[in-house]
Amino acid sequence: PVRTPSGNVSLNPAQAQPQQQPQAPMQEILGNTVDPTLRASCSTVPSSKNLTTGGLPFGFVTAPFSELEPSDKWLRRNADRCLQCGAYRNLYVSVEVSTGRWACNFCDSITTAHDLMGASGLEHTELRDAVVVFAEGGGGVAAPAMVHVFVIDTTIRVKDLQAAKDDVLASLAELPPNDLVGLVAFDSVVRVFDLSSEDVGRAQILSGSESPSSVQLNALGATGAALVAPLHACKGAFTNIVNSLKPPIRIVKRRQARLRCLGPAIETAVAVSGG
């Protein structure tokens, strides 16, 4: 104890009980990221071909039109990209700091980057964070044309379908003009649309009761229809077809579940995209 001039007794600071700091709220982890705009189905991006044989797909849900984080957190430089597939350098790549080489986690190709040499090479933000915003973008490698196949469920309510169509067309406006796009819609059957004409909407119909066979998919590709086409060449046709989509008409005598063939539709879309 220490006696003060006023006669009061105070505790020695060394003997005082430390004040407990309030516990920080726990942050929810959404798959492999704490970013609220991205939710992944597993903790790492699959980088092994063995994962394709188990039947368990990798999936993610993202909000591409959400508000960006403050610009002071953006990286003011070009993003390094894989020379083979164009993928961005990310926290799942393997880095050899002695040489500056890194192995792409998508195609296993090797790219050399001098900024990765030395111990400080692993401090780059894109090697630590799941979501990174580049202010410049592009990098030294031109991105290859990508294929985007949109799959639309037409069994949902009219207002929900309209919202989905609006989102698809908004996404379309953000794509590079040379990227390839395709369109698949489904209810009880799968429809793959021909994007070659703005005036007439044509579609190839596949059964929704089972997975499409290789014979059906080969026949689909042999029709000569433009199942995928450059965006700049088919934007009008794509927009017209999307705007024309409506829920199927049903004559319901008793309450029934809506027929949906999501699985065959996704399998067809993957085949159309060349996957």
Side-chain angles (χ1 to χ4, degrees):
V2 178
R3 185 172 298 277
T4 63
S6 61
N8 296 327
V9 177
S10 62
L11 292 176
N12 190 314
Q15 298 175 340
Q17 293 289 337
Q19 293 184 351
Q20 291 186 350
Q21 296 295 330
Q23 186 175 3
M26 182 177 296
Q27 192 170 21
E28 181 185 7
I29 297 178
L30 310 178
N32 62 337
T33 175
V34 295
D35 190 280
T37 65
L38 179 65
R39 196 179 283 264
S41 62
C42 53
S43 59
T44 60
V45 174
S47 58
S48 171
K49 292 183 178 179
N50 293 333
L51 292 175
T52 65
T53 62
L56 182 64
F58 168 73
F60 65 91
V61 177
T62 183
F65 302 109
S66 60
E67 185 176 354
L68 292 174
E69 61 182 0
S71 60
D72 57 352
K73 296 183 180 180
W74 296 356
L75 300 183
R76 304 284 176 174
R77 58 180 172 82
N78 288 338
D80 195 19
R81 306 182 71 167
C82 174
L83 294 175
Q84 179 68 28
C85 69
Y88 286 91
R89 192 168 70 189
N90 58 79
L91 74 166
Y92 302 113
V93 304
S94 300
V95 178
E96 188 178 65
V97 295
S98 60
T99 62
R101 301 194 306 168
W102 59 276
C104 177
N105 55 309
F106 291 101
C107 69
D108 293 330
S109 295
I110 303 297
T111 303
T112 301
H114 296 294
D115 61 334
L116 294 182
M117 296 181 65
S120 61
L122 299 179
E123 297 301 318
H124 289 288
T125 304
E126 68 268 29
L127 299 180
R128 295 182 287 107
D129 295 346
V131 179
V132 181
V133 177
F134 287 93
E136 302 299 330
V141 179
M146 305 297 290
V147 181
H148 311 269
V149 179
F150 293 85
V151 182
I152 301 180
D153 180 358
T154 61
T155 67
I156 57 181
R157 295 180 299 178
V158 173
K159 66 175 184 179
D160 294 332
L161 179 57
Q162 184 60 52
K165 295 193 297 186
D166 292 342
D167 288 343
V168 167
L169 295 180
S171 300
L172 200 72
E174 300 297 324
L175 296 178
N178 291 327
D179 277 8
L180 303 176
V181 295
L183 180 61
V184 174
F186 70 93
D187 39 53
S188 59
V189 297
V190 179
R191 288 168 287 162
V192 187
F193 288 93
D194 181 1
L195 303 177
S196 61
S197 174
E198 292 189 27
D199 300 325
V200 180
R202 294 187 292 263
Q204 305 294 323
I205 309 297
L206 297 178
S207 171
S209 60
E210 58 185 3
S211 297
S213 66
S214 58
V215 174
Q216 291 174 314
L217 295 176
N218 289 335
L220 190 66
T223 59
L227 304 182
V228 293
L231 176 58
H232 65 82
C234 69
K235 188 173 183 179
F238 190 102
T239 302
N240 291 340
I241 294 172
V242 169
N243 285 329
S244 70
L245 293 177
K246 297 179 181 179
I249 298 176
R250 295 182 179 84
I251 301 176
V252 182
K253 295 183 179 179
R254 59 187 179 87
R255 193 173 185 84
Q256 296 177 342
R258 296 186 177 187
L259 298 177
R260 301 172 69 247
C261 55
L262 173 61
I266 295 295
E267 291 176 296
T268 302
V270 170
V272 168
S273 69

PDB file of all heavy atoms in Angstrom, residues 29-47:
ATOM      1  N   ILE A  29     -16.630 -16.925 -40.495  1.00  0.00           N
ATOM      2  CA  ILE A  29     -15.790 -17.338 -41.611  1.00  0.00           C
ATOM      3  C   ILE A  29     -16.671 -17.998 -42.654  1.00  0.00           C
ATOM      4  O   ILE A  29     -17.354 -18.974 -42.382  1.00  0.00           O
ATOM      5  CB  ILE A  29     -14.675 -18.305 -41.146  1.00  0.00           C
ATOM      6  CG1 ILE A  29     -13.761 -17.594 -40.158  1.00  0.00           C
ATOM      7  CG2 ILE A  29     -13.885 -18.821 -42.331  1.00  0.00           C
ATOM      8  CD1 ILE A  29     -12.659 -18.475 -39.609  1.00  0.00           C
ATOM      9  N   LEU A  30     -16.688 -17.427 -43.842  1.00  0.00           N
ATOM     10  CA  LEU A  30     -17.543 -17.916 -44.915  1.00  0.00           C
ATOM     11  C   LEU A  30     -16.717 -18.780 -45.851  1.00  0.00           C
ATOM     12  O   LEU A  30     -16.103 -18.295 -46.791  1.00  0.00           O
ATOM     13  CB  LEU A  30     -18.155 -16.745 -45.677  1.00  0.00           C
ATOM     14  CG  LEU A  30     -18.832 -15.673 -44.800  1.00  0.00           C
ATOM     15  CD1 LEU A  30     -19.351 -14.545 -45.670  1.00  0.00           C
ATOM     16  CD2 LEU A  30     -19.950 -16.284 -43.996  1.00  0.00           C
ATOM     17  N   GLY A  31     -16.648 -20.068 -45.585  1.00  0.00           N
ATOM     18  CA  GLY A  31     -15.813 -20.946 -46.415  1.00  0.00           C
ATOM     19  C   GLY A  31     -14.351 -20.605 -46.223  1.00  0.00           C
ATOM     20  O   GLY A  31     -13.815 -20.742 -45.135  1.00  0.00           O
ATOM     21  N   ASN A  32     -13.705 -20.125 -47.264  1.00  0.00           N
ATOM     22  CA  ASN A  32     -12.283 -19.825 -47.173  1.00  0.00           C
ATOM     23  C   ASN A  32     -12.033 -18.322 -47.089  1.00  0.00           C
ATOM     24  O   ASN A  32     -10.948 -17.847 -47.383  1.00  0.00           O
ATOM     25  CB  ASN A  32     -11.551 -20.387 -48.399  1.00  0.00           C
ATOM     26  CG  ASN A  32     -12.038 -19.743 -49.691  1.00  0.00           C
ATOM     27  OD1 ASN A  32     -13.136 -19.233 -49.736  1.00  0.00           O
ATOM     28  ND2 ASN A  32     -11.211 -19.783 -50.713  1.00  0.00           N
ATOM     29  N   THR A  33     -13.028 -17.531 -46.700  1.00  0.00           N
ATOM     30  CA  THR A  33     -12.843 -16.090 -46.673  1.00  0.00           C
ATOM     31  C   THR A  33     -13.786 -15.472 -45.650  1.00  0.00           C
ATOM     32  O   THR A  33     -14.824 -16.031 -45.325  1.00  0.00           O
ATOM     33  CB  THR A  33     -13.113 -15.481 -48.063  1.00  0.00           C
ATOM     34  OG1 THR A  33     -13.040 -14.058 -47.957  1.00  0.00           O
ATOM     35  CG2 THR A  33     -14.473 -15.865 -48.588  1.00  0.00           C
ATOM     36  N   VAL A  34     -13.413 -14.318 -45.132  1.00  0.00           N
ATOM     37  CA  VAL A  34     -14.294 -13.572 -44.247  1.00  0.00           C
ATOM     38  C   VAL A  34     -15.007 -12.474 -45.020  1.00  0.00           C
ATOM     39  O   VAL A  34     -15.716 -11.671 -44.447  1.00  0.00           O
ATOM     40  CB  VAL A  34     -13.500 -12.945 -43.079  1.00  0.00           C
ATOM     41  CG1 VAL A  34     -12.924 -14.027 -42.195  1.00  0.00           C
ATOM     42  CG2 VAL A  34     -12.385 -12.031 -43.600  1.00  0.00           C
ATOM     43  N   ASP A  35     -14.837 -12.429 -46.333  1.00  0.00           N
ATOM     44  CA  ASP A  35     -15.502 -11.428 -47.148  1.00  0.00           C
ATOM     45  C   ASP A  35     -16.987 -11.778 -47.287  1.00  0.00           C
ATOM     46  O   ASP A  35     -17.324 -12.885 -47.703  1.00  0.00           O
ATOM     47  CB  ASP A  35     -14.851 -11.353 -48.531  1.00  0.00           C
ATOM     48  CG  ASP A  35     -15.348 -10.163 -49.319  1.00  0.00           C
ATOM     49  OD1 ASP A  35     -16.454 -10.268 -49.879  1.00  0.00           O
ATOM     50  OD2 ASP A  35     -14.650  -9.135 -49.349  1.00  0.00           O
ATOM     51  N   PRO A  36     -17.907 -10.867 -46.956  1.00  0.00           N
ATOM     52  CA  PRO A  36     -19.334 -11.204 -47.002  1.00  0.00           C
ATOM     53  C   PRO A  36     -19.890 -11.362 -48.400  1.00  0.00           C
ATOM     54  O   PRO A  36     -21.018 -11.819 -48.568  1.00  0.00           O
ATOM     55  CB  PRO A  36     -19.987 -10.008 -46.283  1.00  0.00           C
ATOM     56  CG  PRO A  36     -19.029  -8.881 -46.478  1.00  0.00           C
ATOM     57  CD  PRO A  36     -17.661  -9.495 -46.460  1.00  0.00           C
ATOM     58  N   THR A  37     -19.125 -10.974 -49.432  1.00  0.00           N
ATOM     59  CA  THR A  37     -19.630 -11.085 -50.801  1.00  0.00           C
ATOM     60  C   THR A  37     -19.240 -12.386 -51.465  1.00  0.00           C
ATOM     61  O   THR A  37     -19.575 -12.604 -52.625  1.00  0.00           O
ATOM     62  CB  THR A  37     -19.102  -9.917 -51.651  1.00  0.00           C
ATOM     63  OG1 THR A  37     -17.679 -10.029 -51.772  1.00  0.00           O
ATOM     64  CG2 THR A  37     -19.445  -8.579 -51.029  1.00  0.00           C
ATOM     65  N   LEU A  38     -18.524 -13.257 -50.757  1.00  0.00           N
ATOM     66  CA  LEU A  38     -18.077 -14.515 -51.358  1.00  0.00           C
ATOM     67  C   LEU A  38     -18.241 -15.647 -50.361  1.00  0.00           C
ATOM     68  O   LEU A  38     -17.819 -15.552 -49.213  1.00  0.00           O
ATOM     69  CB  LEU A  38     -16.601 -14.412 -51.772  1.00  0.00           C
ATOM     70  CG  LEU A  38     -15.983 -15.666 -52.403  1.00  0.00           C
ATOM     71  CD1 LEU A  38     -16.641 -15.985 -53.735  1.00  0.00           C
ATOM     72  CD2 LEU A  38     -14.485 -15.471 -52.599  1.00  0.00           C
ATOM     73  N   ARG A  39     -18.877 -16.725 -50.806  1.00  0.00           N
ATOM     74  CA  ARG A  39     -19.073 -17.894 -49.936  1.00  0.00           C
ATOM     75  C   ARG A  39     -18.671 -19.130 -50.730  1.00  0.00           C
ATOM     76  O   ARG A  39     -19.224 -19.398 -51.798  1.00  0.00           O
ATOM     77  CB  ARG A  39     -20.534 -17.973 -49.495  1.00  0.00           C
ATOM     78  CG  ARG A  39     -20.790 -18.881 -48.304  1.00  0.00           C
ATOM     79  CD  ARG A  39     -22.267 -18.836 -47.962  1.00  0.00           C
ATOM     80  NE  ARG A  39     -22.621 -17.620 -47.253  1.00  0.00           N
ATOM     81  CZ  ARG A  39     -22.698 -17.540 -45.926  1.00  0.00           C
ATOM     82  NH1 ARG A  39     -22.447 -18.597 -45.185  1.00  0.00           N
ATOM     83  NH2 ARG A  39     -23.051 -16.418 -45.343  1.00  0.00           N
ATOM     84  N   ALA A  40     -17.677 -19.858 -50.236  1.00  0.00           N
ATOM     85  CA  ALA A  40     -17.145 -21.012 -50.953  1.00  0.00           C
ATOM     86  C   ALA A  40     -17.549 -22.304 -50.255  1.00  0.00           C
ATOM     87  O   ALA A  40     -17.818 -22.326 -49.051  1.00  0.00           O
ATOM     88  CB  ALA A  40     -15.628 -20.922 -51.060  1.00  0.00           C
ATOM     89  N   SER A  41     -17.563 -23.404 -51.027  1.00  0.00           N
ATOM     90  CA  SER A  41     -18.021 -24.678 -50.488  1.00  0.00           C
ATOM     91  C   SER A  41     -16.900 -25.480 -49.840  1.00  0.00           C
ATOM     92  O   SER A  41     -17.144 -26.512 -49.241  1.00  0.00           O
ATOM     93  CB  SER A  41     -18.655 -25.522 -51.600  1.00  0.00           C
ATOM     94  OG  SER A  41     -17.704 -25.813 -52.610  1.00  0.00           O
ATOM     95  N   CYS A  42     -15.657 -25.053 -49.971  1.00  0.00           N
ATOM     96  CA  CYS A  42     -14.564 -25.747 -49.295  1.00  0.00           C
ATOM     97  C   CYS A  42     -13.483 -24.729 -48.957  1.00  0.00           C
ATOM     98  O   CYS A  42     -13.511 -23.588 -49.407  1.00  0.00           O
ATOM     99  CB  CYS A  42     -13.995 -26.882 -50.155  1.00  0.00           C
ATOM    100  SG  CYS A  42     -13.509 -26.406 -51.807  1.00  0.00           S
ATOM    101  N   SER A  43     -12.535 -25.125 -48.138  1.00  0.00           N
ATOM    102  CA  SER A  43     -11.570 -24.184 -47.583  1.00  0.00           C
ATOM    103  C   SER A  43     -10.449 -23.826 -48.541  1.00  0.00           C
ATOM    104  O   SER A  43      -9.744 -22.857 -48.322  1.00  0.00           O
ATOM    105  CB  SER A  43     -10.963 -24.765 -46.292  1.00  0.00           C
ATOM    106  OG  SER A  43     -10.322 -26.004 -46.570  1.00  0.00           O
ATOM    107  N   THR A  44     -10.259 -24.593 -49.614  1.00  0.00           N
ATOM    108  CA  THR A  44      -9.245 -24.278 -50.608  1.00  0.00           C
ATOM    109  C   THR A  44      -9.791 -24.547 -51.997  1.00  0.00           C
ATOM    110  O   THR A  44     -10.713 -25.342 -52.165  1.00  0.00           O
ATOM    111  CB  THR A  44      -7.964 -25.123 -50.425  1.00  0.00           C
ATOM    112  OG1 THR A  44      -8.293 -26.506 -50.556  1.00  0.00           O
ATOM    113  CG2 THR A  44      -7.329 -24.877 -49.070  1.00  0.00           C
ATOM    114  N   VAL A  45      -9.225 -23.868 -52.978  1.00  0.00           N
ATOM    115  CA  VAL A  45      -9.617 -24.125 -54.360  1.00  0.00           C
ATOM    116  C   VAL A  45      -9.072 -25.477 -54.780  1.00  0.00           C
ATOM    117  O   VAL A  45      -7.880 -25.741 -54.607  1.00  0.00           O
ATOM    118  CB  VAL A  45      -9.070 -23.032 -55.291  1.00  0.00           C
ATOM    119  CG1 VAL A  45      -9.353 -23.379 -56.752  1.00  0.00           C
ATOM    120  CG2 VAL A  45      -9.707 -21.696 -54.950  1.00  0.00           C
ATOM    121  N   PRO A  46      -9.889 -26.395 -55.290  1.00  0.00           N
ATOM    122  CA  PRO A  46      -9.384 -27.702 -55.714  1.00  0.00           C
ATOM    123  C   PRO A  46      -8.268 -27.557 -56.735  1.00  0.00           C
ATOM    124  O   PRO A  46      -8.409 -26.872 -57.737  1.00  0.00           O
ATOM    125  CB  PRO A  46     -10.618 -28.370 -56.339  1.00  0.00           C
ATOM    126  CG  PRO A  46     -11.773 -27.697 -55.691  1.00  0.00           C
ATOM    127  CD  PRO A  46     -11.344 -26.294 -55.459  1.00  0.00           C
ATOM    128  N   SER A  47      -7.148 -28.160 -56.462  1.00  0.00           N
ATOM    129  CA  SER A  47      -5.997 -28.062 -57.365  1.00  0.00           C
ATOM    130  C   SER A  47      -5.492 -29.434 -57.776  1.00  0.00           C
ATOM    131  O   SER A  47      -4.420 -29.553 -58.337  1.00  0.00           O
ATOM    132  CB  SER A  47      -4.861 -27.278 -56.687  1.00  0.00           C
ATOM    133  OG  SER A  47      -4.480 -27.907 -55.469  1.00  0.00           O
TER     134      SER A  47
END
